[in-house]
């Protein structure tokens, strides 16, 4: 459903005062004509009460796929509203992969009941997923790839392929008698081959694999760049436990990109647009508090030059220019480095040339804009020395911003702290303090 169609559907539900039967018919039509992704977007766009009313009018057989596509907070708001009986009915015959995706929004007491009703195969797949952390690909992989022993005859494999309903499947995974990884055979090679041959005769052993303990987002990038429809997930000991397909990889990449954007404002990508006021306020209060501390720190440094500012009022007028130029220059570098870290482009081997390159850019831009700002300031206040002071401060601050923009996110990444979440706060604090100290310090030395 195009974005405008979702907006139109929201408007229809919220402003046209449909009676119950008309609304039911409208929702049934939407559910029939759109995908679970679109219906999830529609529900997320509705205020809490209207969301629950719309959910109640959706056919039971498509509720679970819709819930899977919803963000965690929005999905949790629906789950929390359900009775125990309704929740158990929703999760009847749930498979392991779906339960892994939804387990964080299911209350513990209900989760135990759902697990008790799962068949042994799905329960074993779910248990296998719990052996890995939720940032590892082994936790999220599909545990039901098309797998056969390497000694299986081609005619048997072809029968399995015809009965299989797996998506994103252009190869068959081959294992030994213990389930250890051997390689793949491409499905298009099986057609026309001697049906009595063992499938191992056509094996491709150098097929790209994923380690089960690998970061899930790095694994998703590997799948997306592999030109394969799916890659096998293998334990350190060589046991094949599942696969990560291209559809799941693209979804993970989109989630990661959204989380990076939201993290720059201190928000969670799963936060519900219509989450309770108290919950939203709590989530944002922490970030506001951190920013307040850094603002007080910068103010403390400014206060050290109170006497200078009182004698040269123009310095106070121009301080926002210094802070703004450093902040913007640093943000540009920070964004570039965070993206490079996320894509795996940055390592210790290329850190030095990357740092030198950013310093050269900073020096060039620093000189250029210091001249512009210095000339404007000198003309504006009819004071050449004031123009020199702010020009030197701009050069120093832009160079500092480049250094911080490279080193801060790399250091945070090494400490296993998300640089997209806290990098901008640290960067802004550094550029503000350095910029103000240099500007006001030079003002004290050269203007008094």
């Amino acid at each position: 459903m195009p974005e405008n169609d979702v907006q139109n559907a929201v408007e229809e539900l919220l402003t046209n005062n449909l009676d119950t039967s008309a609304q039911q018919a409208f929702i049934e039509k939407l559910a029939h004509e759109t995908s679970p992704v679109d219906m999830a977007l529609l529900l997320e766009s509705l205020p809490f009460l209207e969301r629950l009313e719309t959910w109640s009018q959706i056919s039971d057989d498509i509720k679970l796929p819709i819930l899977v596509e919803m963000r965690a907070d929005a999905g949790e708001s629906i789950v929390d509203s359900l009775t125990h009986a309704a929740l158990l009915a929703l999760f009847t015959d749930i498979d392991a992969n779906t339960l892994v995706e939804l387990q964080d929004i299911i209350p513990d007491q209900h989760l135990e009941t759902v697990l008790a009703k799962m068949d042994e195969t799905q329960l074993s797949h779910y248990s296998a997923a719990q052996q890995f952390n939720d940032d590892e690909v082994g936790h999220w992989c599909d545990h039901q790839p098309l797998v056969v022993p390497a000694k299986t005859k081609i005619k048997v494999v072809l029968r399995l392929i015809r009965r299989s309903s797996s998506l994103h499947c252009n190869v068959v995974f081959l294992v030994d008698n213990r389930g250890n990884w051997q390689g793949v055979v491409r499905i298009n090679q099986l057609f026309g081959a001697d049906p009595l041959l063992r499938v191992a005769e056509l094996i491709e052993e150098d097929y790209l694999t994923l380690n089960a303990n690998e970061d899930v987002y790095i694994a998703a990038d590997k799948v997306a760049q592999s030109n394969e429809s799916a890659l096998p997930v293998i334990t350190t000991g060589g046991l094949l436990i599942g696969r990560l397909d291209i559809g799941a990889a693209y979804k993970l990449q989109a989630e990661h990109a959204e989380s990076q954007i939201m993290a720059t404002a201190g928000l969670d990508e799963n936060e519900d647009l219509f989450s309770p006021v108290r919950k939203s306020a709590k989530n944002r209060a922490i970030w506001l508090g951190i920013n307040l501390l850094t603002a007080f720190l910068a103010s403390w440094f400014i206060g050290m030059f109170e006497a200078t500012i009182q004698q040269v009022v123009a310095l106070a007028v121009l301080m926002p220019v210094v802070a703004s130029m450093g902040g913007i220059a640093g943000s540009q570098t920070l964004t570039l480095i965070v993206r490079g870290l996320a894509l795996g482009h940055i390592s210790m081997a290329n850190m030095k040339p990357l740092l030198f390159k950013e310093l050269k850019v900073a020096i060039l831009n620093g000189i250029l804009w210091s001249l512009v700002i210095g000339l404007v300031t000198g003309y504006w206040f009819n004071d050449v020395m004031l123009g020199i002071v702010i020009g030197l401060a701009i050069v120093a601050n832009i160079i500092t911003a480049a250094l911080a923009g490279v080193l801060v996110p790399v250091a945070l990444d090494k400490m296993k702290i998300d640089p997209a979440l806290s990098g901008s706060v640290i960067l802004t604090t550094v550029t503000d303090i350095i910029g103000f100290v240099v500007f006001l310090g030079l003002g004290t030395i050269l203007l008094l």
Side-chain angles (χ1 to χ4, degrees):
M1 185 192 298
E3 182 179 343
N4 287 340
D5 289 348
V6 173
Q7 294 173 352
N8 291 338
V10 171
E11 184 175 351
E12 180 76 15
L13 291 171
L14 295 181
T15 62
N16 287 351
N17 297 319
L18 300 175
D19 59 41
T20 303
S21 59
Q23 183 168 315
Q24 177 85 44
F26 178 70
I27 293 171
E28 288 180 355
K29 182 174 182 291
L30 280 177
H32 176 72
E33 295 178 351
T34 61
S35 68
V37 175
D38 297 324
M39 291 301 295
L41 179 59
L42 173 64
L43 288 168
E44 290 169 353
S45 303
L46 294 173
F48 180 66
L49 294 178
E50 288 79 1
R51 177 185 298 164
L52 295 185
E53 183 179 1
T54 302
W55 173 264
S56 68
Q57 296 173 327
I58 295 174
S59 175
D60 290 341
D61 60 335
I62 62 171
K63 282 183 175 178
L64 190 57
I66 293 172
L67 189 63
V68 170
E69 299 298 338
M70 295 182 70
R71 288 175 175 80
D73 277 6
E76 188 173 9
S77 71
I78 289 177
V79 169
D80 288 345
S81 72
L82 299 177
T83 64
H84 182 71
L87 192 139
L88 292 182
L90 177 64
F91 294 126
T92 299
D93 298 327
I94 190 172
D95 63 76
N97 289 342
T98 303
L99 185 57
V100 167
E101 290 201 49
L102 296 176
Q103 66 182 14
D104 289 340
I105 68 172
I106 303 175
D108 291 341
Q109 65 272 23
H110 296 312
L111 182 59
E112 292 177 4
T113 307
V114 172
L115 289 173
K117 292 179 174 293
M118 290 184 77
D119 65 51
E120 291 186 10
T121 300
Q122 293 301 323
L123 187 58
S124 68
H125 292 329
Y126 178 81
S127 298
Q130 304 313 304
Q131 304 305 310
F132 302 93
N133 297 327
D134 61 7
D135 60 349
E136 296 175 334
V137 67
H139 185 79
W140 299 103
C141 67
D142 176 2
H143 292 276
Q144 294 179 295
L146 189 55
V147 183
V148 299
K151 63 182 181 180
T152 308
K153 291 185 178 180
I154 289 177
K155 65 177 182 179
V156 177
V157 178
L158 288 173
R159 284 201 298 269
L160 289 173
I161 292 172
R162 293 187 183 99
R163 292 200 299 265
S164 173
S165 58
S166 296
L167 297 175
H168 310 296
C169 185
N170 67 336
V171 297
V172 179
F173 295 163
L174 305 184
V175 296
D176 63 16
N177 291 334
R178 297 182 178 180
N180 292 318
W181 171 255
Q182 298 291 293
V184 302
V185 61
R186 297 190 180 274
I187 291 176
N188 60 3
Q189 291 184 303
L190 296 175
F191 298 105
D194 184 348
L196 299 180
L197 284 177
R198 297 187 187 280
V199 72
E201 298 291 332
L202 302 176
I203 192 170
E204 183 180 322
E205 296 179 335
D206 59 350
Y207 196 79
L208 183 63
T209 64
L210 303 172
N211 186 288
N213 299 110
E214 194 166 359
D215 180 271
V216 66
Y217 296 119
I218 293 176
D221 290 339
K222 287 184 178 180
V223 174
Q225 297 167 15
S226 69
N227 294 322
E228 303 291 352
S229 59
L231 294 181
V233 179
I234 301 170
T235 66
T236 303
L239 183 69
L240 174 68
I241 64 169
R243 67 170 191 163
L244 188 67
D245 65 56
I246 192 68
Y250 285 154
K251 183 177 179 180
L252 286 166
Q253 285 185 318
E255 290 175 355
H256 187 50
E258 182 179 0
S259 70
Q260 295 287 305
I261 294 171
M262 296 291 283
T264 59
L267 299 175
D268 188 335
E269 76 274 15
N270 285 314
E271 182 167 344
D272 184 7
L273 187 64
F274 292 101
S275 61
V277 171
R278 179 173 295 184
K279 182 177 181 180
S280 292
K282 180 181 177 181
N283 290 342
R284 301 179 198 185
I286 297 172
W287 192 250
L288 290 171
I290 294 171
N291 276 275
L292 178 61
L293 290 175
T294 61
F296 274 132
L297 182 61
S299 297
W300 181 76
F301 277 95
I302 294 171
M304 295 170 61
F305 300 94
E306 181 180 357
T308 302
I309 295 173
Q310 288 178 347
Q311 295 184 54
V312 187
V313 178
L315 293 174
V317 176
L318 294 169
M319 280 169 55
V321 176
V322 177
S324 177
M325 292 299 291
I328 291 174
S331 296
Q332 291 172 336
T333 304
L334 179 73
T335 302
L336 185 69
I337 301 302
V338 168
R339 186 191 69 175
L341 289 170
L343 296 176
H345 292 167
I346 296 176
S347 65
M348 292 307 297
N350 62 13
M351 265 295 298
K352 187 175 181 180
L354 177 60
L355 182 59
F356 284 162
K357 176 256 183 179
E358 288 300 318
L359 283 175
K360 290 176 183 177
V361 172
I363 291 170
L364 183 61
N365 272 327
I367 293 172
L368 171 63
W369 290 107
S370 66
L371 290 173
V372 172
I373 295 170
L375 289 172
V376 171
T377 299
Y379 178 77
W380 182 8
F381 292 94
N382 195 28
D383 189 335
V384 174
M385 189 55 68
L386 181 60
I388 293 173
V389 167
I390 194 171
L392 293 173
I394 291 294
V395 172
N397 206 18
I398 289 181
I399 292 174
T400 300
L403 282 169
V406 173
L407 298 179
V408 167
V410 171
L412 291 173
D413 188 62
K414 290 293 182 184
M415 294 186 288
K416 305 300 181 183
I417 300 173
D418 187 353
L421 177 60
S422 50
S424 59
V425 175
I426 297 173
L427 174 76
T428 302
T429 303
V430 170
T431 56
D432 282 355
I433 290 174
I434 297 298
F436 292 150
V437 168
V438 172
F439 182 48
L440 297 176
L442 287 174
T444 301
I445 295 170
L446 299 178
L447 298 178
L448 295 183

